[in-house]
Amino acid sequence: MPAHAFRGILVPALTPFRSDLTPDADAFVTHCRWLLERGADGLAVFGTTSEANSIGLEERMELLEHLIGSGISPDVLMPGTGTSALTDTVRLTAHAVERGCAGVLMLPPFYYKAVDDDGLFASYSEVIQRVGSSSLRVYLYHIPPVSQVPLSLELIGRLLSAYEGAVVGLKDSSGEWSNTEAVLREYPALATFCGSEVFLLDTLRRGGAGSITATANVNVAAIRKLYERWQENDAEALQEEINAVRRAFEVYAPIPGLKAVVAGFYDSPDWRRVRPPLRALEPAASEALTGSLAGLGFQM
Amino acid sequence: MPAHAFRGILVPALTPFRSDLTPDADAFVTHCRWLLERGADGLAVFGTTSEANSIGLEERMELLEHLIGSGISPDVLMPGTGTSALTDTVRLTAHAVERGCAGVLMLPPFYYKAVDDDGLFASYSEVIQRVGSSSLRVYLYHIPPVSQVPLSLELIGRLLSAYEGAVVGLKDSSGEWSNTEAVLREYPALATFCGSEVFLLDTLRRGGAGSITATANVNVAAIRKLYERWQENDAEALQEEINAVRRAFEVYAPIPGLKAVVAGFYDSPDWRRVRPPLRALEPAASEALTGSLAGLGFQM
């Protein structure tokens, strides 16, 4: 794993919206600070969970600048920068690098489907070459259930060989442990993060870097605890505990569910808001989720 | 069908790229002019076939302005403006309306999957309300094989009821005639276009508006002829002829295939170029395609 790669638990921080659906930059900073105070090793802002793909290019860049301007160090930031359009991806990536972000989490272009490895290799190559900075650290983002554009093992290997030092990590949100296991086995030089904490112990046992996971928005301390204690006797029990919380959210639409719980925590109903095409959790579902979590003794 | 809606054959014009992958605005204008001279009723620029989703926001707006500045009337333009992000879609749509475009072809937000009708209704609603122009004419773009976000019959009906006069048409690129037939039956007030000319005769016989089809980039005159003569005795024969050309392209990656043929027509190898993640057709495949078309007596 590269010496300067991220390790640990990173949070794809949720993005709060005001009633006019503009990002609430101050509430966002507050949440990011809280996550870091609770032990997050980094913030994968503008991830899938952040609804980043529903947020415009200019808005994303402004929000990143606000975050850094508010004192969040770019050393802990791994913004998502992959869009469907080559030049927009270059723009967001170059911006993140210029602002000193320690890494970027990069989706493949996700509009055209059934594209082949050569096309995806060319996409990532163009972005890396156009950004043209020795400070660029790319974390590949494999999330086929949403992007519908998988990154094959072969493609990952080609990118790693061609751009050693620039391509340094991967987030595997395939939900398939066999795939994460294969990446860990084939590419030990890559900082590999599981996209769900249910695979955290397995990931760490096979030399992985940690997890970048949605649920860390509400449960980062417990997940971080397993990251610290994965070689201790209570590791399996800690894994079971965080799995139970994860499962409670998986019953509902995860992003609206997380926002409902965060809204309760900050006592701010505005936090429940999502951008279309997502929809806020219905009050009855929020109550049921809160009930499930209370049953687990969960506290944010 | 609304009085001022588009009718006939519209072309999702291919976008030529220079060696640095920037759009070749002059070659684009030349191609658009040629399409209009050959009988196109309109240009659905920045469609899927145009690789629009690989082109950045600023580039799309600049290219549209160049097109209009070069004398292509906005009365014949139906640019694609749907992106994955609400505010970017608003920006492109407002820009197209400000520039006088007679319509826009609007994808649903296509990153998040398994979203429901309420979420998609909210998306289109937000865009229409934010653009807030009585000049806005939206053509809904149903292309589930690529977007992976279908527009249900119920959603179409809700949008049509809520935004009468603004939501005026639909392009059905599902590839499923049963769906196009259902849209035509349920919503005769909508200007419905089939996304493939193989359904043109069936579409027109059931009161549809025409076709917006990739293959029109190379075969618009023949497709337009069927549009004119659909009630004549030779209509079935004309349908068979254009189907044969369509089938020849479907053997290969359609966008690179179309570009290869257009490159031959303009004697400009640059036209073969595509943006990643697509890939240009291999020379052998180009030759095979050219051979198939020659066998059909096809001339662009």
Side-chain angles (χ1 to χ4, degrees), chain B residues 3 17 23 26 38-40 55 62 72 79 81 98 104 108 112 127 137 142-143 150 220 231 248 274 277 283-284 299:
Chain B
F17 296 110
D26 293 331
R38 296 284 282 172
I55 306 177
E62 281 170 24
I72 304 280
T81 61
E98 281 160 17
V104 297
Y112 295 98
V127 175
R137 298 286 178 275
H142 177 62
I143 182 169
V220 64
Q231 289 170 304
V274 293
Q299 284 197 314

Side-chain angles (χ1 to χ4, degrees), chain A residues 20 48 51-57 59 84-88 111-113 116 118-119 123 130 146 275-277 279, chain B residues 20 48 51 53-57 59 84-88 111-113 116 118-119 123 130 146 275-277 279:
Chain A
D20 64 358
T48 299
E51 298 174 74
N53 301 96
S54 300
I55 306 176
L57 288 189
E59 292 174 309
S84 70
L86 175 67
T87 38
D88 287 343
Y111 181 71
Y112 296 98
K113 306 302 186 302
D116 64 16
D118 287 344
S123 283
R130 284 167 188 238
V146 185
R275 267 199 184 182
R279 288 201 304 129
Chain B
D20 64 359
T48 299
E51 298 173 74
N53 301 95
S54 300
I55 306 177
L57 287 189
E59 292 174 310
S84 69
L86 175 68
T87 38
D88 287 344
Y111 181 70
Y112 295 98
K113 306 301 186 302
D116 64 15
D118 287 343
S123 283
R130 284 166 188 240
V146 185
R275 268 200 183 182
R279 289 202 303 128

Side-chain angles (χ1 to χ4, degrees), chain A residues 13 15 28 44-48 50 52 55 59-61 63-64 79-81:
Chain A
T15 311
F28 185 56
V45 295
F46 312 135
T48 299
S50 319
I55 306 176
E59 292 174 309
R60 287 164 74 151
M61 292 189 283
L63 203 50
L64 184 64
T81 61

Side-chain angles (χ1 to χ4, degrees), chain B residues 92-287:
Chain B
L92 289 181
T93 305
H95 178 260
V97 170
E98 281 160 17
R99 293 305 180 276
C101 294
V104 297
L105 186 58
M106 201 181 292
L107 282 165
F110 51 78
Y111 181 70
Y112 295 98
K113 306 301 186 302
V115 294
D116 64 15
D117 279 1
D118 287 343
L120 292 173
F121 182 82
S123 283
Y124 279 109
S125 292
E126 284 288 339
V127 175
I128 293 167
Q129 291 177 23
R130 284 166 188 240
V131 172
S133 166
S134 60
S135 305
L136 173 63
R137 298 286 178 275
V138 175
Y139 294 77
L140 305 171
Y141 191 4
H142 177 62
I143 182 169
V146 185
S147 68
Q148 301 283 330
V149 179
L151 307 180
S152 73
L153 277 182
E154 293 70 23
L155 173 64
I156 295 164
R158 283 175 63 185
L159 288 167
L160 192 55
S161 300
Y163 299 104
E164 206 190 329
V167 173
V168 299
L170 178 138
K171 176 183 179 187
D172 185 357
S173 294
S174 66
E176 292 172 20
W177 168 246
S178 60
N179 188 70
T180 313
E181 198 174 28
V183 173
L184 289 163
R185 185 182 59 239
E186 297 291 323
Y187 308 114
L190 215 54
T192 296
F193 293 83
C194 50
S196 165
E197 69 273 30
V198 301
F199 303 121
L200 180 56
L201 197 44
D202 287 331
T203 297
L204 297 172
R205 283 174 175 165
R206 283 165 183 78
S211 186
I212 303 174
T213 173
T215 336
N217 274 284
V218 298
N219 202 26
V220 64
I223 301 170
R224 189 63 177 61
K225 188 173 174 189
L226 173 56
Y227 175 71
E228 282 166 24
R229 298 184 59 79
W230 70 275
Q231 289 170 304
E232 307 296 328
N233 287 335
D234 58 353
E236 297 278 359
L238 293 170
Q239 180 71 69
E240 278 308 310
E241 279 177 36
I242 63 177
N243 288 359
V245 174
R246 174 88 185 189
R247 278 194 298 268
F249 281 95
E250 284 178 348
V251 175
Y252 306 95
I255 298 170
L258 289 165
K259 283 193 147 177
V261 170
V262 168
F265 177 72
Y266 290 116
D267 194 19
S268 163
D270 281 356
W271 255 108
R272 298 174 52 78
R273 200 171 287 123
V274 293
R275 268 200 183 182
L278 302 188
R279 289 202 303 128
L281 216 59
E282 298 289 340
S286 284
E287 279 176 36

Side-chain angles (χ1 to χ4, degrees), chain A residues 129-170:
Chain A
Q129 292 177 23
R130 284 167 188 238
V131 172
S133 165
S134 60
S135 305
L136 173 63
R137 298 288 177 275
V138 175
Y139 294 77
L140 305 171
Y141 191 4
H142 176 60
I143 182 168
V146 185
S147 68
Q148 300 284 329
V149 179
L151 307 180
S152 74
L153 278 180
E154 294 70 22
L155 173 64
I156 296 163
R158 284 175 63 186
L159 288 167
L160 191 55
S161 300
Y163 299 104
E164 205 189 330
V167 173
V168 298
L170 178 136

